Amino acid sequence: MKAVHSAQVKCSVDGTAADGLQARQAVLLSTTNCCALLMCVTGPWGFARGLVRLYLETPSTAPCAAILVLLKQEEFSFASAAAPAKPSACMQALRLWTLLATCAVAVGQNQGQKNQECPKLNAQMPEFQKKTVHIKDPARVEEIICGLIKGGAAKLQIITDFDMTLSRFSYNGKRCPTCHNIIDNSKLITEECRKKLLQLKETYYAIEIDPALTIEEKYPYMVEWYNKSHALLIEQGLQKDKFAEVVRESDVMLKEGYENFFDKLSEHNIPVFIFSAGIGDILEEVIHQAGVYHPNVKVVSNFMDFDENGVLKGFKGELIHVYNKHDGALKNTEYFKQLKDNSNIILLGDSQGDLSMADGVANVEHILKIGYLNDKVDELLEKYMDSYDIVLVKDESLEVANSILQKIL
């Protein structure tokens, strides 16, 4: 660029069009010869790729833009000065150079735009700087988020757990209830039943989160726990029309930022699949009372079966517990087939069993797994970081998910 600049200065000083034209032609001839040599060594496409790289690594587009402007000016300058009817080899090379440079800048601009779409977690997403956020492979997470952004709303779907994932684990140091706990703590059951349910929780919850046991080893215990708890609830003759009041009086809370989460997904008609091992009737009442049970939300859970008087007589379908969501996911393949174009997934869960919730999706392009680690952090953090792309430790908000959705939508 310095040589071009000096030649232009010389033209101005000499004050004659002929001298200026000769100087400019000399510079272009030198440039063309250099380009021709480079193209001979690298080939046209290798040369073009080099221009793209130069463009991307140059802080300003001014150098490339200046070269293009000059080349276009010279093309017209040569045309106006009695140029030979048959272009010389020099002019042919010059035109090839112009074409390649134009393509290089266009490709570079497009690639630059794509790079801007792919955020750096620390620089552009402050939510990822929170102490609660743990990521084993930041580069991989950036790559997945970039894929989600490029796919946009048209390709996105959400698959999420509910208890302790969308709902809070604790508030001001006090444990918040799960869907089962809402019933367990309510006035709908007797004190004797409440004590039995609490004993079951103390026995089996320890097994559920025991880091020394495999999922296969925990599986039969979860079946025992759920079946015994559901049998006790059936004995109580629970009335369906009392559930709204029970939920209102409970301490259940959705995570901070839930309105933004649900409303933005509804606004863009993003499918939300809530896959819960809780009680579906209670879950639906919670999100209904929160004002976020939008048409784009589908709930799969343990739903109660009532008689003609609205009294609980059993549970519908097969049991869903923490560690059999793989089976449930595969049974919902018809739902996922309807969303065959929604190949990008954000999965949210709080247990190792939640990792299989997307197993029914056949055509996964990009999947980002976000895991909430609420208990036994020291024992489980490493295992969670090996399984989930992002681990949120004792985090009672949806800030990270919302920040990602902000980039995608």
Side-chain angles (χ1 to χ4, degrees):
M1 289 303 297
K2 290 182 179 178
V4 174
H5 178 70
S6 62
Q8 290 173 333
V9 171
K10 182 180 183 295
C11 294
S12 300
V13 172
D14 289 350
T16 65
D19 288 346
L21 181 58
Q22 289 176 357
R24 287 149 71 97
Q25 287 176 339
V27 170
L28 283 169
L29 181 60
S30 176
T31 303
T32 303
N33 288 338
C34 290
C35 292
L37 178 61
L38 284 172
M39 281 188 284
C40 288
V41 175
T42 64
W45 298 116
F47 178 69
R49 284 195 297 269
L51 288 175
V52 173
R53 183 175 178 182
L54 172 65
Y55 178 90
L56 293 176
E57 293 180 353
T58 304
S60 169
T61 61
C64 288
I67 291 173
L68 286 178
V69 170
L70 179 61
L71 288 169
K72 284 295 182 184
Q73 286 178 345
E74 294 312 323
E75 185 177 347
F76 291 119
S77 296
F78 288 149
S80 60
K86 185 177 181 180
S88 65
C90 174
M91 285 304 301
Q92 289 177 343
L94 177 59
R95 286 172 180 170
L96 178 58
W97 150 256
T98 305
L99 177 62
L100 288 173
T102 304
C103 292
V105 171
V107 172
Q109 287 175 334
N110 184 53
Q111 188 63 44
Q113 290 173 353
K114 288 181 179 179
N115 288 344
Q116 288 175 356
E117 291 175 352
C118 301
K120 296 296 181 184
L121 299 185
N122 291 330
Q124 298 183 31
M125 304 180 77
E127 295 82 2
F128 282 79
Q129 299 178 22
K130 294 169 57 179
K131 293 181 178 179
T132 59
V133 179
H134 297 258
I135 302 174
K136 184 175 182 177
D137 189 348
R140 181 174 182 275
V141 170
E142 286 179 5
E143 182 181 349
I144 295 172
I145 293 177
C146 183
L148 297 176
I149 292 172
K150 289 177 180 177
K155 284 192 170 185
L156 185 64
Q157 65 170 301
I158 308 297
I159 301 176
T160 179
D161 174 51
F162 184 77
D163 287 324
M164 313 296 108
T165 297
L166 295 180
S167 68
R168 290 177 182 257
F169 181 80
S170 66
Y171 181 70
N172 288 338
K174 181 182 178 182
R175 279 292 301 270
C176 293
T178 65
C179 292
H180 277 95
N181 297 153
I182 290 173
I183 295 291
D184 298 350
N185 300 335
S186 74
K187 60 186 179 183
L188 297 181
I189 60 174
T190 64
E191 281 300 318
E192 181 182 359
C193 179
R194 197 184 331 276
K195 289 178 182 179
K196 290 180 179 179
L197 290 169
L198 181 59
Q199 288 173 353
L200 290 174
K201 180 182 176 181
E202 290 176 347
T203 299
Y204 289 102
Y205 179 68
I207 296 173
E208 178 188 338
I209 63 172
D210 189 340
L213 297 176
T214 66
I215 291 178
E216 291 73 21
E217 290 171 327
K218 296 176 182 181
Y219 193 108
Y221 293 104
M222 296 302 102
V223 174
E224 285 182 13
W225 182 12
Y226 278 69
N227 283 338
K228 289 178 179 179
S229 295
H230 289 177
L232 287 171
L233 295 180
I234 293 169
E235 288 177 4
Q236 297 298 298
L238 302 177
Q239 294 179 294
K240 184 176 183 179
D241 59 5
K242 301 289 185 182
F243 286 176
E245 181 183 357
V246 165
V247 169
R248 275 194 298 270
E249 293 177 350
S250 74
D251 294 326
V252 68
M253 297 177 67
L254 295 178
K255 278 185 164 61
E256 182 182 348
Y258 75 89
E259 302 102 324
N260 186 26
F261 178 79
F262 279 100
D263 291 347
K264 181 172 285 292
L265 292 169
S266 175
E267 177 187 347
H268 293 274
N269 199 30
I270 308 299
V272 178
F273 185 77
I274 300 179
F275 198 177
S276 173
I279 298 177
D281 308 82
I282 299 297
L283 189 166
E284 288 187 329
E285 186 62 36
V286 171
I287 58 177
H288 172 73
Q289 290 188 16
V292 293
Y293 199 174
H294 301 306
N296 63 312
V297 176
K298 177 178 176 63
V299 177
V300 172
S301 186
N302 297 301
F303 282 93
M304 295 177 166
D305 191 16
F306 300 92
D307 64 19
E308 63 276 7
N309 297 316
V311 177
L312 176 64
K313 65 176 184 179
F315 282 80
K316 300 175 182 177
E318 295 184 28
L319 174 69
I320 300 174
H321 60 77
V322 178
Y323 294 118
N324 73 341
K325 289 188 174 182
H326 166 80
D327 301 332
L330 296 179
K331 288 175 183 175
N332 282 279
T333 50
E334 286 303 317
Y335 167 83
F336 292 123
K337 282 180 181 177
Q338 295 172 12
L339 304 175
K340 63 182 186 303
D341 295 329
N342 299 76
S343 54
N344 290 344
I345 300 169
I346 297 178
L347 181 148
L348 300 99
D350 75 312
S351 76
Q352 295 290 304
D354 292 331
L355 291 162
S356 63
M357 291 190 296
D359 286 359
V361 183
N363 59 327
V364 177
E365 189 173 352
H366 302 285
I367 180 167
L368 182 69
K369 298 180 180 180
I370 302 175
Y372 286 90
L373 178 52
N374 301 306
D375 207 355
K376 290 192 177 294
V377 174
D378 293 337
E379 298 94 325
L380 293 171
L381 180 57
E382 184 177 355
K383 182 178 289 187
Y384 270 58
M385 289 184 69
D386 287 339
S387 306
Y388 284 99
D389 300 304
I390 301 171
V391 179
L392 304 176
V393 175
K394 294 185 179 296
D395 191 326
E396 300 295 345
S397 80
L398 289 163
E399 283 185 358
V400 168
N402 284 338
S403 70
I404 296 170
L405 291 175
Q406 183 67 34
K407 295 291 183 182
I408 300 172
L409 308 176

